[in-house]
Amino acid sequence: EGEIIRTAHYRIFTTVPNSVLKDRLAVLIEEAMHRYRTAITDLPPPPIRLDTYLMENRPQWEQVSRMLLGEQANAITRIERGGYATRGIGVYFNIGLADTMTIAAHEGWHQYTQRTFRNRLPIWLEEGMALYHEGHRWEGSRPVFLPWANPERYDRLRASVTAGRFIPLSTLITMTPNDHLEGNTPTVLDFYAHAWAAAHFLVESPDLRPALEQILQDAAAGRLRSRQHTQIQSRGFSGDTAGRNPRPLDPIRIYTDIDPDDLDQRYEAFVREIVRPGGRDRIISGRSPL
Protein backbone atom coordinates (compact mmCIF):
# COMPACT_ATOMS: atom_id res chain seq x y z
CA GLU A 1 0.00 0.00 0.00
CA GLY A 2 1.15 3.51 -0.68
CA GLU A 3 0.17 6.83 -2.17
CA ILE A 4 0.58 8.90 -5.32
CA ILE A 5 1.97 12.42 -5.11
CA ARG A 6 1.44 14.58 -8.19
CA THR A 7 3.62 17.58 -9.03
CA ALA A 8 3.87 19.72 -12.15
CA HIS A 9 6.21 17.30 -13.93
CA TYR A 10 6.06 14.06 -11.93
CA ARG A 11 3.88 11.34 -10.45
CA ILE A 12 5.52 9.84 -7.37
CA PHE A 13 4.38 6.37 -6.36
CA THR A 14 5.65 5.71 -2.86
CA THR A 15 5.33 3.34 0.07
CA VAL A 16 7.62 5.45 2.29
CA PRO A 17 5.92 6.45 5.56
CA ASN A 18 8.47 9.18 6.34
CA SER A 19 6.70 12.44 5.48
CA VAL A 20 9.94 14.46 5.43
CA LEU A 21 11.50 12.17 2.83
CA LYS A 22 8.37 12.22 0.65
CA ASP A 23 7.94 15.98 0.88
CA ARG A 24 11.58 16.68 0.14
CA LEU A 25 11.61 14.35 -2.84
CA ALA A 26 8.62 16.13 -4.36
CA VAL A 27 10.31 19.50 -3.93
CA LEU A 28 13.76 18.35 -5.04
CA ILE A 29 12.77 16.71 -8.31
CA GLU A 30 10.78 19.76 -9.39
CA GLU A 31 13.70 22.06 -8.58
CA ALA A 32 16.00 19.61 -10.36
CA MET A 33 13.78 19.68 -13.45
CA HIS A 34 14.15 23.45 -13.57
CA ARG A 35 17.92 23.04 -13.32
CA TYR A 36 18.06 20.44 -16.09
CA ARG A 37 16.26 22.83 -18.43
CA THR A 38 18.09 26.06 -17.56
CA ALA A 39 21.49 25.46 -15.92
CA ILE A 40 23.46 25.01 -19.16
CA THR A 41 21.05 26.19 -21.86
CA ASP A 42 17.33 26.43 -22.48
CA LEU A 43 15.86 22.97 -23.02
CA PRO A 44 12.26 21.81 -23.58
CA PRO A 45 9.93 20.39 -20.93
CA PRO A 46 9.17 16.67 -20.86
CA PRO A 47 6.13 15.73 -22.96
CA ILE A 48 4.37 13.98 -20.06
CA ARG A 49 4.61 13.68 -16.30
CA LEU A 50 7.49 11.39 -15.39
CA ASP A 51 6.70 8.43 -13.16
CA THR A 52 8.91 7.98 -10.11
CA TYR A 53 8.74 5.07 -7.68
CA LEU A 54 10.16 5.56 -4.19
CA MET A 55 9.91 2.34 -2.21
CA GLU A 56 10.51 1.95 1.49
CA ASN A 57 12.93 -0.98 1.17
CA ARG A 58 14.89 -3.07 -1.29
CA PRO A 59 12.49 -6.05 -1.51
CA GLN A 60 9.67 -3.69 -2.53
CA TRP A 61 12.02 -2.04 -5.07
CA GLU A 62 12.90 -5.41 -6.55
CA GLN A 63 9.23 -6.38 -6.77
CA VAL A 64 8.29 -3.15 -8.55
CA SER A 65 11.27 -3.58 -10.90
CA ARG A 66 10.03 -7.04 -11.90
CA MET A 67 6.54 -5.68 -12.47
CA LEU A 68 7.89 -2.90 -14.70
CA LEU A 69 10.68 -4.73 -16.53
CA GLY A 70 9.95 -8.44 -16.48
CA GLU A 71 13.05 -10.53 -17.16
CA GLN A 72 15.15 -7.39 -17.71
CA ALA A 73 14.88 -6.77 -13.97
CA ASN A 74 17.34 -9.61 -13.32
CA ALA A 75 20.20 -7.38 -14.47
CA ILE A 76 18.83 -4.15 -13.00
CA THR A 77 18.32 -5.53 -9.51
CA ARG A 78 22.05 -6.27 -9.20
CA ILE A 79 22.42 -2.56 -8.44
CA GLU A 80 23.66 -2.45 -4.87
CA ARG A 81 21.97 0.72 -3.64
CA GLY A 82 19.79 3.59 -4.69
CA GLY A 83 18.00 2.93 -7.95
CA TYR A 84 17.91 3.56 -11.68
CA ALA A 85 16.01 5.25 -14.49
CA THR A 86 14.73 3.52 -17.61
CA ARG A 87 12.25 4.62 -20.30
CA GLY A 88 11.74 7.85 -18.38
CA ILE A 89 10.76 6.04 -15.18
CA GLY A 90 12.75 6.47 -11.97
CA VAL A 91 12.75 3.58 -9.49
CA TYR A 92 14.41 4.15 -6.11
CA PHE A 93 14.39 2.81 -2.59
CA ASN A 94 15.03 4.57 0.69
CA ILE A 95 18.75 4.71 1.50
CA GLY A 96 18.52 7.67 3.86
CA LEU A 97 17.49 11.24 3.22
CA ALA A 98 20.71 12.68 1.77
CA ASP A 99 21.67 9.73 -0.43
CA THR A 100 18.14 9.21 -1.73
CA MET A 101 18.00 12.86 -2.79
CA THR A 102 21.34 12.59 -4.58
CA ILE A 103 20.20 9.48 -6.45
CA ALA A 104 16.97 11.21 -7.45
CA ALA A 105 18.83 14.28 -8.74
CA HIS A 106 21.20 12.09 -10.78
CA GLU A 107 18.67 9.63 -12.18
CA GLY A 108 16.19 12.44 -12.75
CA TRP A 109 18.45 13.75 -15.52
CA HIS A 110 18.29 10.32 -17.19
CA GLN A 111 14.50 10.27 -16.80
CA TYR A 112 14.31 13.68 -18.42
CA THR A 113 16.53 12.92 -21.41
CA GLN A 114 15.00 9.48 -21.97
CA ARG A 115 11.56 11.03 -22.42
CA THR A 116 12.49 14.39 -23.92
CA PHE A 117 15.64 14.15 -26.07
CA ARG A 118 15.09 12.87 -29.59
CA ASN A 119 18.74 11.86 -29.96
CA ARG A 120 20.77 10.18 -27.22
CA LEU A 121 23.84 11.87 -25.84
CA PRO A 122 27.14 9.97 -25.79
CA ILE A 123 27.24 7.86 -22.64
CA TRP A 124 30.10 9.78 -21.01
CA LEU A 125 28.30 13.10 -21.54
CA GLU A 126 24.90 11.74 -20.47
CA GLU A 127 26.51 10.54 -17.23
CA GLY A 128 28.56 13.71 -16.87
CA MET A 129 25.45 15.87 -16.99
CA ALA A 130 23.65 13.63 -14.47
CA LEU A 131 26.65 13.87 -12.16
CA TYR A 132 26.81 17.64 -12.65
CA HIS A 133 23.28 17.93 -11.26
CA GLU A 134 23.91 15.83 -8.15
CA GLY A 135 25.41 18.55 -5.96
CA HIS A 136 22.97 20.40 -3.76
CA ARG A 137 22.30 21.49 -0.21
CA TRP A 138 19.14 22.44 1.65
CA GLU A 139 18.32 25.91 2.84
CA GLY A 140 15.28 25.40 4.99
CA SER A 141 12.76 23.43 2.95
CA ARG A 142 14.27 24.28 -0.46
CA PRO A 143 17.23 22.68 -2.24
CA VAL A 144 19.95 24.89 -3.68
CA PHE A 145 21.86 23.21 -6.50
CA LEU A 146 25.64 23.68 -6.32
CA PRO A 147 27.35 21.56 -9.00
CA TRP A 148 30.72 21.63 -7.24
CA ALA A 149 29.26 20.52 -3.89
CA ASN A 150 30.01 16.85 -4.45
CA PRO A 151 32.75 15.61 -2.11
CA GLU A 152 32.08 11.96 -3.02
CA ARG A 153 32.98 12.49 -6.69
CA TYR A 154 35.78 14.90 -5.81
CA ASP A 155 37.41 12.51 -3.34
CA ARG A 156 37.28 9.67 -5.87
CA LEU A 157 38.78 11.88 -8.56
CA ARG A 158 41.65 12.93 -6.32
CA ALA A 159 42.26 9.33 -5.21
CA SER A 160 42.33 8.03 -8.77
CA VAL A 161 44.73 10.74 -9.92
CA THR A 162 47.00 10.11 -6.92
CA ALA A 163 46.98 6.36 -7.64
CA GLY A 164 47.95 6.88 -11.29
CA ARG A 165 44.51 6.08 -12.69
CA PHE A 166 43.92 9.39 -14.48
CA ILE A 167 41.67 8.92 -17.53
CA PRO A 168 42.47 11.20 -20.50
CA LEU A 169 39.46 12.84 -22.13
CA SER A 170 40.17 11.01 -25.39
CA THR A 171 39.82 7.72 -23.47
CA LEU A 172 36.87 8.81 -21.36
CA ILE A 173 34.72 9.60 -24.40
CA THR A 174 35.06 5.99 -25.60
CA MET A 175 34.12 4.42 -22.25
CA THR A 176 30.90 3.34 -20.58
CA PRO A 177 30.32 2.72 -16.86
CA ASN A 178 30.72 -1.00 -17.57
CA ASP A 179 34.20 -0.62 -19.05
CA HIS A 180 36.14 -1.24 -15.86
CA LEU A 181 38.72 -3.84 -15.04
CA GLU A 182 40.48 -5.20 -11.99
CA GLY A 183 43.84 -4.10 -10.72
CA ASN A 184 45.49 -0.69 -11.13
CA THR A 185 43.12 0.38 -13.89
CA PRO A 186 40.13 2.73 -13.95
CA THR A 187 37.05 1.40 -12.17
CA VAL A 188 33.42 2.38 -12.63
CA LEU A 189 33.74 4.93 -9.80
CA ASP A 190 36.82 6.40 -11.50
CA PHE A 191 34.76 6.72 -14.68
CA TYR A 192 32.02 8.60 -12.85
CA ALA A 193 34.51 10.89 -11.11
CA HIS A 194 36.20 11.78 -14.39
CA ALA A 195 32.86 12.26 -16.18
CA TRP A 196 31.87 14.65 -13.37
CA ALA A 197 35.11 16.57 -13.87
CA ALA A 198 34.64 16.58 -17.65
CA ALA A 199 31.20 18.15 -17.30
CA HIS A 200 32.68 20.96 -15.20
CA PHE A 201 35.54 21.30 -17.70
CA LEU A 202 33.09 21.87 -20.56
CA VAL A 203 30.87 24.23 -18.57
CA GLU A 204 33.75 26.37 -17.30
CA SER A 205 35.77 26.59 -20.54
CA PRO A 206 34.61 29.70 -22.47
CA ASP A 207 35.47 28.16 -25.85
CA LEU A 208 33.86 24.79 -25.07
CA ARG A 209 30.64 25.79 -23.33
CA PRO A 210 28.98 27.01 -26.57
CA ALA A 211 29.66 23.59 -28.09
CA LEU A 212 28.14 21.88 -25.05
CA GLU A 213 25.07 24.10 -25.29
CA GLN A 214 24.65 23.29 -28.98
CA ILE A 215 25.09 19.56 -28.39
CA LEU A 216 22.35 19.56 -25.73
CA GLN A 217 20.00 21.62 -27.89
CA ASP A 218 20.61 19.45 -30.94
CA ALA A 219 20.12 16.21 -29.00
CA ALA A 220 16.83 17.52 -27.59
CA ALA A 221 15.61 18.61 -31.03
CA GLY A 222 16.77 15.49 -32.87
CA ARG A 223 19.50 17.25 -34.85
CA LEU A 224 22.55 15.69 -33.22
CA ARG A 225 22.94 12.67 -35.48
CA SER A 226 22.38 14.58 -38.71
CA ARG A 227 24.83 17.32 -37.71
CA GLN A 228 27.39 14.70 -36.76
CA HIS A 229 26.99 13.06 -40.15
CA THR A 230 27.21 16.38 -42.01
CA GLN A 231 30.31 17.55 -40.16
CA ILE A 232 31.99 14.16 -40.47
CA GLN A 233 31.59 14.39 -44.25
CA SER A 234 32.54 18.07 -44.56
CA ARG A 235 35.59 17.84 -42.31
CA GLY A 236 36.91 14.54 -43.63
CA PHE A 237 37.02 12.52 -40.42
CA SER A 238 38.03 8.90 -40.80
CA GLY A 239 39.39 6.08 -38.66
CA ASP A 240 36.83 5.50 -35.96
CA THR A 241 34.04 6.34 -38.41
CA ALA A 242 35.13 3.75 -40.99
CA GLY A 243 33.91 0.20 -41.40
CA ARG A 244 30.58 -1.56 -41.65
CA ASN A 245 29.52 -0.72 -38.08
CA PRO A 246 31.34 2.51 -37.27
CA ARG A 247 31.42 3.85 -33.73
CA PRO A 248 29.79 7.29 -33.70
CA LEU A 249 32.35 10.08 -33.55
CA ASP A 250 32.06 11.96 -30.28
CA PRO A 251 30.39 15.34 -30.82
CA ILE A 252 33.03 17.23 -28.84
CA ARG A 253 35.44 16.54 -31.70
CA ILE A 254 33.04 17.71 -34.40
CA TYR A 255 31.50 20.70 -32.62
CA THR A 256 34.90 22.29 -31.99
CA ASP A 257 38.05 22.92 -33.98
CA ILE A 258 40.34 22.09 -31.07
CA ASP A 259 43.02 19.49 -31.68
CA PRO A 260 42.26 16.32 -29.63
CA ASP A 261 45.77 16.29 -28.16
CA ASP A 262 45.39 19.89 -27.03
CA LEU A 263 42.01 19.05 -25.53
CA ASP A 264 43.55 16.15 -23.63
CA GLN A 265 46.28 18.39 -22.25
CA ARG A 266 43.80 21.07 -21.20
CA TYR A 267 41.53 18.55 -19.48
CA GLU A 268 44.41 16.96 -17.60
CA ALA A 269 45.64 20.39 -16.46
CA PHE A 270 42.07 21.19 -15.32
CA VAL A 271 41.77 17.98 -13.31
CA ARG A 272 45.18 18.33 -11.69
CA GLU A 273 44.41 21.91 -10.75
CA ILE A 274 41.13 21.10 -9.02
CA VAL A 275 42.62 18.22 -6.97
CA ARG A 276 45.47 20.34 -5.60
CA PRO A 277 45.69 20.76 -1.80
CA GLY A 278 43.02 23.10 -0.52
CA GLY A 279 40.51 22.21 -3.20
CA ARG A 280 38.40 20.04 -0.96
CA ASP A 281 37.59 22.89 1.40
CA ARG A 282 36.04 24.75 -1.51
CA ILE A 283 34.14 21.67 -2.63
CA ILE A 284 32.65 21.27 0.84
CA SER A 285 31.42 24.85 0.71
CA GLY A 286 30.02 24.38 -2.80
CA ARG A 287 32.57 26.64 -4.49
CA SER A 288 34.80 26.00 -7.46
CA PRO A 289 38.25 24.73 -6.43
CA LEU A 290 39.84 26.70 -9.27
Side-chain angles (χ1 to χ4, degrees):
E1 295 183 0
E3 62 183 303
I4 303 174
I5 302 170
R6 292 176 174 85
T7 69
H9 296 99
Y10 293 90
R11 292 190 308 176
I12 304 171
F13 300 82
T14 183
T15 59
V16 170
N18 185 323
S19 60
V20 174
L21 181 58
K22 291 184 294 187
D23 292 346
R24 288 212 168 185
L25 179 69
V27 172
L28 178 126
I29 58 179
E30 280 296 334
E31 293 287 345
M33 176 61 71
H34 177 72
R35 287 283 301 178
Y36 304 150
R37 296 180 53 204
T38 62
I40 308 298
T41 188
D42 290 336
L43 295 171
I48 60 173
R49 278 188 174 136
L50 304 181
D51 286 348
T52 297
Y53 292 80
L54 176 62
M55 314 311 292
E56 171 60 11
N57 53 52
R58 186 183 181 93
Q60 291 179 4
W61 174 77
E62 291 182 355
Q63 183 178 358
V64 166
S65 296
R66 293 189 185 97
M67 292 169 60
L68 292 171
L69 302 176
E71 292 184 359
Q72 294 178 343
N74 293 333
I76 289 290
T77 53
R78 288 200 292 265
I79 295 172
E80 293 183 1
R81 61 195 299 270
Y84 60 90
T86 182
R87 302 176 309 192
I89 303 170
V91 190
Y92 320 130
F93 62 94
N94 181 5
I95 54 173
L97 183 60
D99 287 345
T100 302
M101 295 301 106
T102 298
I103 287 286
H106 178 112
E107 297 297 334
W109 169 262
H110 297 321
Q111 280 184 273
Y112 169 64
T113 61
Q114 287 164 5
R115 279 291 186 184
T116 310
F117 281 26
R118 296 183 180 180
N119 292 153
R120 294 179 63 180
L121 293 171
I123 291 175
W124 73 272
L125 185 55
E126 171 72 19
E127 291 297 339
M129 288 292 97
L131 293 155
Y132 183 83
H133 293 293
E134 284 182 355
H136 68 278
R137 65 180 47 169
W138 289 84
E139 294 185 357
S141 61
R142 309 296 298 186
V144 177
F145 282 85
L146 301 166
W148 281 111
N150 202 327
E152 178 182 355
R153 306 302 179 186
Y154 179 83
D155 288 346
R156 186 70 188 200
L157 181 70
R158 185 169 60 179
S160 64
V161 171
T162 301
R165 299 194 305 269
F166 171 76
I167 305 174
L169 188 61
S170 58
T171 300
L172 183 70
I173 64 178
T174 69
M175 296 176 65
T176 75
N178 295 325
D179 293 337
H180 59 93
L181 303 171
E182 297 179 356
N184 191 34
T185 56
T187 69
V188 65
L189 293 179
D190 292 334
F191 168 84
Y192 282 127
H194 283 79
W196 173 76
H200 283 283
F201 173 62
L202 297 176
V203 170
E204 301 215 359
S205 299
D207 59 338
L208 295 176
R209 178 161 179 154
L212 173 62
E213 294 173 358
Q214 193 64 59
I215 290 167
L216 295 176
Q217 292 170 3
D218 286 351
R223 299 187 298 259
L224 182 60
R225 292 177 185 170
S226 61
R227 289 204 176 187
Q228 282 181 294
H229 181 71
T230 299
Q231 295 206 40
I232 285 170
Q233 289 186 323
S234 66
R235 294 169 64 175
F237 285 113
S238 60
D240 51 1
T241 63
R244 293 181 58 188
N245 297 298
R247 184 168 192 150
L249 193 61
D250 193 86
I252 292 297
R253 284 185 58 189
I254 62 176
Y255 277 71
T256 70
D257 292 318
I258 302 173
D259 180 81
D261 291 338
D262 291 342
L263 204 58
D264 264 352
Q265 292 175 11
R266 286 177 53 184
Y267 173 66
E268 181 171 359
F270 178 87
V271 169
R272 295 192 182 280
E273 178 68 20
I274 64 178
V275 300
R276 291 178 59 188
R280 195 176 193 280
D281 291 340
R282 291 178 173 269
I283 294 293
I284 294 297
S285 65
R287 295 178 295 155
S288 168
L290 298 174

